[in-house]
Amino acid sequence: MKTSELAEKLGISPQMCNRLKKRGMPCDSLQSAIEWRKRNLDLTQTKSWRIDGNQGVKPVSIETLGGDQAFDSETARRALTHTAPDLWFSQVNRLDTALKEHGVTLSAEKLLEVQATLFLLYQIETDRFFGAELVYSIPPVLGIRPGNENYPSMIASLERALNV
């Protein structure tokens, strides 16, 4: 598989793909590369866990999507169960900024608990809107719970980012 093709499918740059190849990532198939990344990369050092929200992709403007075209319900469902959670609930710094502006400071652990509660309330309201229990894409930052081997490094990284 070509480096550029593999990089695109992994959602990383070709340069990063080459660096990972040098570290031992197999490039024979997408699945083997994904498995290697799961075993060998620290979750807090991947795009899916960036606290600043930079996912490394350019946002798509509404004009690109067709401007005044009405979205069908499946598109709306996908946007509310995958895109919106990724945009709003994976970036804990947004909540921290809003709280700090109102004089509220929380530890990284409490901030994650508040973010998880807000995500649950979001799910309840979205399910109520559609009249069904939907399947959501849970942001990686909310998927790591105490007891998980990555939890301490995630909290330390979050504390550093929040105290900047």
Side-chain angles (χ1 to χ4, degrees), residues 93-106 111:
N93 64 318
R94 290 182 177 168
L95 177 59
D96 181 59
T97 300
L99 291 171
K100 281 182 179 174
E101 286 180 3
H102 295 286
V104 178
T105 56
L106 298 173
L111 192 61

Side-chain angles (χ1 to χ4, degrees), residues 3-63:
T3 300
S4 58
E5 184 181 322
L6 181 59
E8 184 178 335
K9 289 181 179 182
L10 289 172
I12 61 175
S13 69
Q15 295 85 354
M16 177 56 76
C17 190
N18 282 325
R19 280 185 283 211
L20 294 176
K21 281 170 57 175
K22 288 178 185 175
R23 288 177 53 190
M25 181 179 76
C27 298
D28 55 332
S29 73
L30 177 61
Q31 190 58 38
S32 61
I34 290 170
E35 289 303 316
W36 182 90
R37 287 169 52 92
K38 285 180 185 176
R39 286 190 315 272
N40 295 284
L41 296 183
D42 178 5
L43 177 67
T44 64
Q45 302 300 313
T46 62
K47 282 184 183 179
S48 64
W49 201 82
R50 286 182 179 171
I51 194 165
D52 67 354
N54 178 0
Q55 296 297 310
V57 294
K58 294 180 183 174
V60 177
S61 69
I62 194 71
E63 291 79 25

Side-chain angles (χ1 to χ4, degrees), residues 72-85 122 130 134-137:
D72 61 30
S73 65
E74 186 54 38
T75 302
R77 184 181 311 247
R78 175 108 177 117
L80 291 173
T81 59
H82 291 76
T83 307
Y122 172 83
F130 281 103
L134 304 174
V135 176
Y136 293 82
S137 172

